[in-house]
Amino acid sequence: VAGFSIFNFLDQNPVNLNTEVSISASNESGPDQRPYEWDYIKKTYPYYNADPDVYIRALEQANQLKKETITNRLSRGMGGVQWEFAGPTNVGGRVVDLEFDPNNPSIIYAGFSTGGIFKSFDSGNTWLPIFDEQAVLTVGDVAIDPNNSNIIYVGTGEANGGHNNFPGAGVLKSTDAGSTWNFLGLAGTTSIGRIVINPQNSNILYLASVGSYFAPNKERGIYKSTDAGLTWDYSLFISDTTGFVDLIIDPNNPERLMATAWERVRRPNASHLFGPSSGIYKTTNGGNNWYKLTSAPLPNPNVTNVGRIGLAIHKNNPDIVYALFTDGLSIISLYRSNDFGTSWTDVDSDRELRSGDGTFSWYFGQVRVHPTNPNIVYV
């Protein structure tokens, strides 16, 4: 079988799009009124409301069938099922995160938008899958405990804002470098942008939940755990249409964090990937209190469309922070703070970065800074 699609419709009242919509399996162009949502309309016609759990249930069923088949063959003395990859070999996929073992940089973990996690022991020359047995293979972020690199957290659900994303199912944890995994909860988060670990206390974690792609949901926000992920509490919540996509922590003073809120709503007949609730939030007491950073020259979301925002903190001098602002289509600019967000400077005043996102800034809204040279920045 080359592939499959499963759709289960919850709302039995079809959405009135005020226009005739012809759905077919062809590669026809969508109506001019909704070009960006045409694939979503075809996949969910005629009710435009897909069950986010169908994908997870299908994967669980497939894994169960595989186990039953192996058990049945072994009981009949036929040996286990042996599979060979038949192709196609030209199918790619988005790599959403790369993480290096802090104690051995030859070990790398690569998280894929819909392909699970691959691990390399030889600096990326060869790779092996370590996540395929899980019920959900969509990855949002991978985090390695800086104090014990055998401990790995995976936030499922790609955090990019496209219409072709599959939902995640919460957080998983490995204590043996990816050999086995345990589910930690937060199944309703749908998509997770970032997980950070307090380097001075591995029991303290923070998680940024972007939330559902296509519907309001209350599981958006910043979560905090004080018991290594066994339980989670809300640290910051804005609304059921505004989640958080990025998160940084000061390694020298882990009570200081910044998080970026992203107002994002996609519908079959209307979408926006920006809004006035988007912005940077800061805490100096470990997430007990947060406040929004609004000082110029940061874009004012009440005046300028503000979408996804990326953050980067300099390892050797955590007062230095970079923030990459987008407007839902293109990059607005890159901003630098030398005092952990108290004041900012526009460091892309010539707008050179605007030519690099192809108007898909919701996929590319990330920034990284060199660990020893704060003037070297990657976007």
Side-chain angles (χ1 to χ4, degrees), residues 279-280 298-299 306 308-310 323-327 330-333 335:
I280 302 176
L298 294 181
V306 174
R308 179 174 185 165
I309 304 168
L324 181 70
F325 273 70
T326 71
D327 63 8
S330 300
I331 292 172
I332 297 175
S333 194
Y335 302 87

Side-chain angles (χ1 to χ4, degrees), residues 15-16 40 48 127 130 142 168 185 205 220 277 289 301 323 338:
V15 176
N16 180 11
Y40 180 70
Y48 309 107
W127 298 86
I130 61 171
V142 179
L205 316 173
R220 304 175 195 264
S277 59
N289 305 101
N338 293 321

Side-chain angles (χ1 to χ4, degrees), residues 77-247:
M78 300 174 64
V81 177
Q82 299 297 320
W83 291 89
E84 293 183 4
F85 183 66
T89 59
N90 64 339
V91 176
R94 292 183 291 274
V95 178
V96 297
D97 195 21
L98 288 171
E99 294 293 337
F100 289 78
D101 185 321
N103 299 315
N104 183 354
S106 296
I107 298 177
I108 314 171
Y109 298 87
F112 284 77
S113 59
T114 56
I117 299 171
F118 284 72
K119 182 177 182 178
S120 175
F121 292 91
D122 54 11
S123 301
N125 291 309
T126 59
W127 298 86
L128 72 154
I130 61 171
F131 208 67
D132 283 5
E133 298 303 316
Q134 306 313 306
V136 59
L137 298 178
T138 61
V139 175
D141 189 53
V142 179
I144 302 174
D145 188 334
N147 302 307
N148 182 351
S149 57
N150 286 322
I151 297 177
I152 305 170
Y153 296 89
V154 174
T156 61
E158 181 187 6
N160 297 316
H163 65 266
N164 55 355
N165 306 87
F166 288 101
V171 186
L172 289 93
K173 177 181 180 179
S174 175
T175 58
D176 51 18
S179 296
T180 60
W181 298 91
N182 294 309
F183 176 66
L184 296 182
L186 298 183
T189 51
T190 304
S191 57
I192 294 172
R194 194 77 69 214
I195 299 173
V196 297
I197 304 166
N198 183 331
Q200 299 178 15
N201 184 345
S202 295
N203 288 321
I204 299 176
L205 316 173
Y206 299 88
L207 180 146
S209 166
V210 186
S212 173
Y213 307 117
F214 303 115
N217 74 311
K218 59 182 175 54
E219 290 83 3
R220 304 175 195 264
I222 298 295
Y223 290 85
K224 180 179 181 179
S225 174
T226 57
D227 53 13
L230 294 178
T231 60
W232 299 86
D233 294 308
Y234 258 129
S235 179
L236 176 60
F237 174 79
I238 295 179
S239 75
D240 61 3
T241 56
T242 300
F244 284 81
V245 68
D246 214 345
L247 187 60

Side-chain angles (χ1 to χ4, degrees), residues 39 46 93 107 116 125 147 158 162 262 285 304 335 338 340 345 365-366:
D39 285 340
I107 298 177
N125 291 309
N147 302 307
E158 181 187 6
W262 185 11
N285 57 11
T304 303
Y335 302 87
N338 293 321
F340 202 75
T345 302
Q366 300 205 48

Side-chain angles (χ1 to χ4, degrees), residues 328-344:
L329 289 176
S330 300
I331 292 172
I332 297 175
S333 194
L334 180 68
Y335 302 87
R336 171 171 166 161
S337 174
N338 293 321
D339 49 19
F340 202 75
T342 301
S343 60
W344 298 85

